[in-house]
mmCIF file of all heavy atoms in Angstrom:
data_model
loop_
_atom_site.group_PDB
_atom_site.id
_atom_site.type_symbol
_atom_site.label_atom_id
_atom_site.label_comp_id
_atom_site.label_asym_id
_atom_site.label_seq_id
_atom_site.Cartn_x
_atom_site.Cartn_y
_atom_site.Cartn_z
ATOM 1 N N THR A 1 -28.529 62.905 -13.802
ATOM 2 C CA THR A 1 -27.352 62.644 -12.981
ATOM 3 C C THR A 1 -26.674 63.925 -12.488
ATOM 4 O O THR A 1 -25.860 63.877 -11.567
ATOM 5 C CB THR A 1 -26.324 61.815 -13.769
ATOM 6 O OG1 THR A 1 -25.972 62.516 -14.976
ATOM 7 C CG2 THR A 1 -26.897 60.451 -14.131
ATOM 8 N N GLU A 2 -27.009 65.076 -13.086
ATOM 9 C CA GLU A 2 -26.374 66.327 -12.687
ATOM 10 C C GLU A 2 -26.797 66.734 -11.272
ATOM 11 O O GLU A 2 -27.908 66.435 -10.829
ATOM 12 C CB GLU A 2 -26.732 67.444 -13.667
ATOM 13 C CG GLU A 2 -26.268 67.205 -15.097
ATOM 14 C CD GLU A 2 -27.249 66.376 -15.912
ATOM 15 O OE1 GLU A 2 -28.265 65.894 -15.332
ATOM 16 O OE2 GLU A 2 -27.015 66.209 -17.124
ATOM 17 N N ALA A 3 -25.911 67.433 -10.582
ATOM 18 C CA ALA A 3 -26.149 67.824 -9.187
ATOM 19 C C ALA A 3 -27.358 68.745 -9.029
ATOM 20 O O ALA A 3 -27.986 68.786 -7.967
ATOM 21 C CB ALA A 3 -24.905 68.490 -8.613
ATOM 22 N N ASP A 4 -27.705 69.526 -10.051
ATOM 23 C CA ASP A 4 -28.797 70.490 -9.941
ATOM 24 C C ASP A 4 -30.134 69.941 -10.429
ATOM 25 O O ASP A 4 -31.096 70.694 -10.607
ATOM 26 C CB ASP A 4 -28.454 71.762 -10.713
ATOM 27 C CG ASP A 4 -28.249 71.503 -12.210
ATOM 28 O OD1 ASP A 4 -28.149 70.315 -12.607
ATOM 29 O OD2 ASP A 4 -28.172 72.487 -12.979
ATOM 30 N N LYS A 5 -30.231 68.643 -10.628
ATOM 31 C CA LYS A 5 -31.485 68.038 -11.099
ATOM 32 C C LYS A 5 -32.456 67.823 -9.932
ATOM 33 O O LYS A 5 -32.067 67.724 -8.780
ATOM 34 C CB LYS A 5 -31.202 66.693 -11.774
ATOM 35 C CG LYS A 5 -30.588 66.803 -13.155
ATOM 36 C CD LYS A 5 -31.589 67.365 -14.157
ATOM 37 C CE LYS A 5 -31.040 67.334 -15.576
ATOM 38 N NZ LYS A 5 -32.019 67.846 -16.547
ATOM 39 N N GLY A 6 -33.729 67.743 -10.286
ATOM 40 C CA GLY A 6 -34.744 67.423 -9.299
ATOM 41 C C GLY A 6 -35.362 68.634 -8.639
ATOM 42 O O GLY A 6 -35.034 69.785 -8.946
ATOM 43 N N ASP A 7 -36.275 68.355 -7.701
ATOM 44 C CA ASP A 7 -36.931 69.437 -6.971
ATOM 45 C C ASP A 7 -36.012 69.978 -5.877
ATOM 46 O O ASP A 7 -34.867 69.537 -5.717
ATOM 47 C CB ASP A 7 -38.262 68.962 -6.390
ATOM 48 C CG ASP A 7 -38.105 67.754 -5.464
ATOM 49 O OD1 ASP A 7 -36.982 67.519 -4.967
ATOM 50 O OD2 ASP A 7 -39.095 67.055 -5.227
ATOM 51 N N LYS A 8 -36.539 70.919 -5.112
ATOM 52 C CA LYS A 8 -35.734 71.592 -4.088
ATOM 53 C C LYS A 8 -35.178 70.614 -3.067
ATOM 54 O O LYS A 8 -34.002 70.708 -2.669
ATOM 55 C CB LYS A 8 -36.590 72.658 -3.397
ATOM 56 C CG LYS A 8 -35.849 73.475 -2.360
ATOM 57 C CD LYS A 8 -36.768 74.541 -1.768
ATOM 58 C CE LYS A 8 -36.034 75.366 -0.709
ATOM 59 N NZ LYS A 8 -36.925 76.412 -0.130
ATOM 60 N N VAL A 9 -36.001 69.660 -2.635
ATOM 61 C CA VAL A 9 -35.564 68.702 -1.618
ATOM 62 C C VAL A 9 -34.472 67.795 -2.163
ATOM 63 O O VAL A 9 -33.482 67.506 -1.477
ATOM 64 C CB VAL A 9 -36.752 67.865 -1.102
ATOM 65 C CG1 VAL A 9 -36.275 66.825 -0.087
ATOM 66 C CG2 VAL A 9 -37.812 68.758 -0.465
ATOM 67 N N HIS A 10 -34.612 67.337 -3.412
ATOM 68 C CA HIS A 10 -33.606 66.451 -3.987
ATOM 69 C C HIS A 10 -32.273 67.177 -4.218
ATOM 70 O O HIS A 10 -31.206 66.575 -4.055
ATOM 71 C CB HIS A 10 -34.117 65.833 -5.296
ATOM 72 C CG HIS A 10 -35.012 64.655 -5.089
ATOM 73 N ND1 HIS A 10 -36.320 64.780 -4.697
ATOM 74 C CD2 HIS A 10 -34.768 63.318 -5.180
ATOM 75 C CE1 HIS A 10 -36.865 63.577 -4.571
ATOM 76 N NE2 HIS A 10 -35.934 62.673 -4.858
ATOM 77 N N ARG A 11 -32.343 68.444 -4.580
ATOM 78 C CA ARG A 11 -31.093 69.200 -4.742
ATOM 79 C C ARG A 11 -30.384 69.367 -3.395
ATOM 80 O O ARG A 11 -29.162 69.248 -3.293
ATOM 81 C CB ARG A 11 -31.376 70.557 -5.388
ATOM 82 C CG ARG A 11 -31.860 70.462 -6.837
ATOM 83 C CD ARG A 11 -31.780 71.803 -7.551
ATOM 84 N NE ARG A 11 -32.631 72.819 -6.932
ATOM 85 C CZ ARG A 11 -33.914 73.014 -7.239
ATOM 86 N NH1 ARG A 11 -34.495 72.250 -8.150
ATOM 87 N NH2 ARG A 11 -34.599 73.971 -6.640
ATOM 88 N N ALA A 12 -31.190 69.624 -2.369
ATOM 89 C CA ALA A 12 -30.615 69.747 -1.028
ATOM 90 C C ALA A 12 -30.079 68.397 -0.540
ATOM 91 O O ALA A 12 -29.036 68.334 0.124
ATOM 92 C CB ALA A 12 -31.670 70.271 -0.051
ATOM 93 N N ALA A 13 -30.789 67.327 -0.893
ATOM 94 C CA ALA A 13 -30.348 65.990 -0.494
ATOM 95 C C ALA A 13 -29.021 65.638 -1.154
ATOM 96 O O ALA A 13 -28.143 65.020 -0.532
ATOM 97 C CB ALA A 13 -31.411 64.960 -0.856
ATOM 98 N N PHE A 14 -28.858 66.022 -2.417
ATOM 99 C CA PHE A 14 -27.594 65.772 -3.105
ATOM 100 C C PHE A 14 -26.435 66.426 -2.343
ATOM 101 O O PHE A 14 -25.398 65.796 -2.104
ATOM 102 C CB PHE A 14 -27.651 66.313 -4.531
ATOM 103 C CG PHE A 14 -26.426 66.020 -5.347
ATOM 104 C CD1 PHE A 14 -26.386 64.941 -6.217
ATOM 105 C CD2 PHE A 14 -25.289 66.826 -5.244
ATOM 106 C CE1 PHE A 14 -25.251 64.655 -6.966
ATOM 107 C CE2 PHE A 14 -24.152 66.564 -5.988
ATOM 108 C CZ PHE A 14 -24.126 65.476 -6.847
ATOM 109 N N GLU A 15 -26.624 67.668 -1.945
ATOM 110 C CA GLU A 15 -25.579 68.378 -1.215
ATOM 111 C C GLU A 15 -25.309 67.725 0.144
ATOM 112 O O GLU A 15 -24.149 67.543 0.544
ATOM 113 C CB GLU A 15 -25.979 69.840 -1.006
ATOM 114 C CG GLU A 15 -26.010 70.663 -2.283
ATOM 115 C CD GLU A 15 -26.328 72.126 -2.011
ATOM 116 O OE1 GLU A 15 -26.272 72.536 -0.829
ATOM 117 O OE2 GLU A 15 -26.631 72.856 -2.979
ATOM 118 N N GLN A 16 -26.370 67.344 0.833
ATOM 119 C CA GLN A 16 -26.216 66.767 2.163
ATOM 120 C C GLN A 16 -25.527 65.404 2.103
ATOM 121 O O GLN A 16 -24.603 65.130 2.876
ATOM 122 C CB GLN A 16 -27.581 66.637 2.840
ATOM 123 C CG GLN A 16 -27.528 66.124 4.262
ATOM 124 C CD GLN A 16 -26.773 67.042 5.201
ATOM 125 O OE1 GLN A 16 -26.697 68.243 4.959
ATOM 126 N NE2 GLN A 16 -26.194 66.472 6.252
ATOM 127 N N LEU A 17 -25.964 64.544 1.190
ATOM 128 C CA LEU A 17 -25.366 63.209 1.079
ATOM 129 C C LEU A 17 -23.911 63.304 0.620
ATOM 130 O O LEU A 17 -23.074 62.483 1.013
ATOM 131 C CB LEU A 17 -26.182 62.342 0.120
ATOM 132 C CG LEU A 17 -27.632 62.046 0.525
ATOM 133 C CD1 LEU A 17 -28.296 61.133 -0.499
ATOM 134 C CD2 LEU A 17 -27.694 61.415 1.910
ATOM 135 N N SER A 18 -23.608 64.309 -0.195
ATOM 136 C CA SER A 18 -22.228 64.493 -0.662
ATOM 137 C C SER A 18 -21.289 64.833 0.489
ATOM 138 O O SER A 18 -20.092 64.545 0.429
ATOM 139 C CB SER A 18 -22.166 65.606 -1.714
ATOM 140 O OG SER A 18 -22.928 65.272 -2.859
ATOM 141 N N SER A 19 -21.838 65.444 1.532
ATOM 142 C CA SER A 19 -21.010 65.875 2.657
ATOM 143 C C SER A 19 -20.880 64.813 3.752
ATOM 144 O O SER A 19 -20.114 64.997 4.703
ATOM 145 C CB SER A 19 -21.591 67.149 3.272
ATOM 146 O OG SER A 19 -22.835 66.883 3.902
ATOM 147 N N MET A 20 -21.626 63.718 3.634
ATOM 148 C CA MET A 20 -21.607 62.684 4.678
ATOM 149 C C MET A 20 -20.429 61.735 4.465
ATOM 150 O O MET A 20 -20.358 61.038 3.448
ATOM 151 C CB MET A 20 -22.939 61.919 4.678
ATOM 152 C CG MET A 20 -24.118 62.796 5.080
ATOM 153 S SD MET A 20 -25.737 61.990 4.867
ATOM 154 C CE MET A 20 -25.622 60.675 6.081
ATOM 155 N N GLU A 21 -19.523 61.705 5.442
ATOM 156 C CA GLU A 21 -18.312 60.904 5.309
ATOM 157 C C GLU A 21 -18.537 59.423 5.583
ATOM 158 O O GLU A 21 -17.706 58.596 5.214
ATOM 159 C CB GLU A 21 -17.237 61.435 6.268
ATOM 160 C CG GLU A 21 -16.797 62.860 5.950
ATOM 161 C CD GLU A 21 -15.738 63.361 6.912
ATOM 162 O OE1 GLU A 21 -15.400 62.607 7.858
ATOM 163 O OE2 GLU A 21 -15.243 64.486 6.720
ATOM 164 N N ASN A 22 -19.647 59.077 6.226
ATOM 165 C CA ASN A 22 -19.877 57.682 6.606
ATOM 166 C C ASN A 22 -20.571 56.865 5.520
ATOM 167 O O ASN A 22 -20.840 55.679 5.715
ATOM 168 C CB ASN A 22 -20.704 57.615 7.893
ATOM 169 C CG ASN A 22 -22.047 58.321 7.759
ATOM 170 O OD1 ASN A 22 -22.182 59.291 7.035
ATOM 171 N ND2 ASN A 22 -23.043 57.813 8.461
ATOM 172 N N ILE A 23 -20.895 57.473 4.378
ATOM 173 C CA ILE A 23 -21.465 56.716 3.259
ATOM 174 C C ILE A 23 -20.681 57.005 1.978
ATOM 175 O O ILE A 23 -20.094 58.072 1.829
ATOM 176 C CB ILE A 23 -22.969 57.024 3.042
ATOM 177 C CG1 ILE A 23 -23.163 58.482 2.606
ATOM 178 C CG2 ILE A 23 -23.793 56.699 4.279
ATOM 179 C CD1 ILE A 23 -24.581 58.775 2.158
ATOM 180 N N ASN A 24 -20.713 56.060 1.076
ATOM 181 C CA ASN A 24 -20.027 56.187 -0.208
ATOM 182 C C ASN A 24 -21.022 56.693 -1.252
ATOM 183 O O ASN A 24 -21.527 55.940 -2.075
ATOM 184 C CB ASN A 24 -19.447 54.825 -0.609
ATOM 185 C CG ASN A 24 -18.760 54.845 -1.957
ATOM 186 O OD1 ASN A 24 -18.322 55.903 -2.427
ATOM 187 N ND2 ASN A 24 -18.665 53.687 -2.591
ATOM 188 N N PHE A 25 -21.311 58.003 -1.193
ATOM 189 C CA PHE A 25 -22.318 58.582 -2.078
ATOM 190 C C PHE A 25 -21.730 58.827 -3.469
ATOM 191 O O PHE A 25 -20.698 59.481 -3.622
ATOM 192 C CB PHE A 25 -22.824 59.901 -1.499
ATOM 193 C CG PHE A 25 -23.895 60.556 -2.312
ATOM 194 C CD1 PHE A 25 -25.094 59.912 -2.572
ATOM 195 C CD2 PHE A 25 -23.709 61.836 -2.829
ATOM 196 C CE1 PHE A 25 -26.087 60.515 -3.322
ATOM 197 C CE2 PHE A 25 -24.691 62.456 -3.584
ATOM 198 C CZ PHE A 25 -25.889 61.791 -3.824
ATOM 199 N N ILE A 26 -22.401 58.283 -4.500
ATOM 200 C CA ILE A 26 -21.892 58.397 -5.871
ATOM 201 C C ILE A 26 -22.665 59.393 -6.707
ATOM 202 O O ILE A 26 -22.388 59.576 -7.895
ATOM 203 C CB ILE A 26 -21.894 57.022 -6.565
ATOM 204 C CG1 ILE A 26 -23.329 56.481 -6.677
ATOM 205 C CG2 ILE A 26 -20.993 56.041 -5.834
ATOM 206 C CD1 ILE A 26 -23.455 55.288 -7.604
ATOM 207 N N GLY A 27 -23.676 60.052 -6.109
ATOM 208 C CA GLY A 27 -24.434 61.054 -6.833
ATOM 209 C C GLY A 27 -25.816 60.576 -7.256
ATOM 210 O O GLY A 27 -26.327 59.563 -6.768
ATOM 211 N N ASN A 28 -26.420 61.306 -8.182
ATOM 212 C CA ASN A 28 -27.744 60.963 -8.690
ATOM 213 C C ASN A 28 -27.683 59.770 -9.628
ATOM 214 O O ASN A 28 -26.707 59.594 -10.367
ATOM 215 C CB ASN A 28 -28.351 62.150 -9.448
ATOM 216 C CG ASN A 28 -28.731 63.304 -8.536
ATOM 217 O OD1 ASN A 28 -29.109 63.093 -7.388
ATOM 218 N ND2 ASN A 28 -28.625 64.529 -9.042
ATOM 219 N N VAL A 29 -28.746 58.956 -9.608
ATOM 220 C CA VAL A 29 -28.886 57.864 -10.568
ATOM 221 C C VAL A 29 -30.272 57.948 -11.198
ATOM 222 O O VAL A 29 -31.237 58.376 -10.555
ATOM 223 C CB VAL A 29 -28.693 56.474 -9.918
ATOM 224 C CG1 VAL A 29 -27.274 56.291 -9.428
ATOM 225 C CG2 VAL A 29 -29.678 56.256 -8.770
ATOM 226 N N GLU A 30 -30.371 57.569 -12.463
ATOM 227 C CA GLU A 30 -31.650 57.574 -13.170
ATOM 228 C C GLU A 30 -32.291 56.195 -13.124
ATOM 229 O O GLU A 30 -31.593 55.183 -13.036
ATOM 230 C CB GLU A 30 -31.440 58.008 -14.618
ATOM 231 C CG GLU A 30 -30.957 59.434 -14.772
ATOM 232 C CD GLU A 30 -30.783 59.829 -16.226
ATOM 233 O OE1 GLU A 30 -29.942 59.227 -16.908
ATOM 234 O OE2 GLU A 30 -31.493 60.748 -16.668
ATOM 235 N N SER A 31 -33.606 56.161 -13.218
ATOM 236 C CA SER A 31 -34.326 54.900 -13.095
ATOM 237 C C SER A 31 -33.958 53.903 -14.194
ATOM 238 O O SER A 31 -33.950 52.698 -13.965
ATOM 239 C CB SER A 31 -35.839 55.156 -13.114
ATOM 240 O OG SER A 31 -36.216 55.862 -14.285
ATOM 241 N N ARG A 32 -33.610 54.399 -15.382
ATOM 242 C CA ARG A 32 -33.266 53.492 -16.473
ATOM 243 C C ARG A 32 -31.959 52.754 -16.230
ATOM 244 O O ARG A 32 -31.667 51.767 -16.922
ATOM 245 C CB ARG A 32 -33.186 54.261 -17.787
ATOM 246 C CG ARG A 32 -32.060 55.295 -17.858
ATOM 247 C CD ARG A 32 -32.066 56.018 -19.182
ATOM 248 N NE ARG A 32 -30.994 57.016 -19.264
ATOM 249 C CZ ARG A 32 -30.800 57.802 -20.312
ATOM 250 N NH1 ARG A 32 -31.618 57.702 -21.364
ATOM 251 N NH2 ARG A 32 -29.819 58.675 -20.323
ATOM 252 N N GLU A 33 -31.151 53.216 -15.274
ATOM 253 C CA GLU A 33 -29.868 52.588 -14.986
ATOM 254 C C GLU A 33 -29.904 51.671 -13.770
ATOM 255 O O GLU A 33 -28.898 51.060 -13.427
ATOM 256 C CB GLU A 33 -28.792 53.663 -14.772
ATOM 257 C CG GLU A 33 -28.512 54.519 -15.991
ATOM 258 C CD GLU A 33 -27.976 53.704 -17.163
ATOM 259 O OE1 GLU A 33 -27.293 52.693 -16.928
ATOM 260 O OE2 GLU A 33 -28.256 54.084 -18.318
#
């Protein structure tokens, strides 16, 4: 769930989705949840 998890693309995606005002981005989620 941490912002720095995942490969390079997923880390960049976390930053990009966090900056998008038109979606309610809640961060990373794990498959078990």
Side-chain angles (χ1 to χ4, degrees):
T1 57
E2 298 85 355
D4 61 348
K5 285 291 186 179
D7 58 20
K8 183 178 179 180
V9 177
H10 279 77
R11 293 195 298 272
F14 184 97
E15 291 184 13
Q16 183 63 26
L17 297 182
S18 298
S19 68
M20 294 172 66
E21 297 180 357
N22 58 328
I23 66 170
N24 178 23
F25 182 59
I26 62 167
N28 290 328
V29 294
E30 295 181 297
S31 56
R32 65 181 180 181
E33 297 298 329

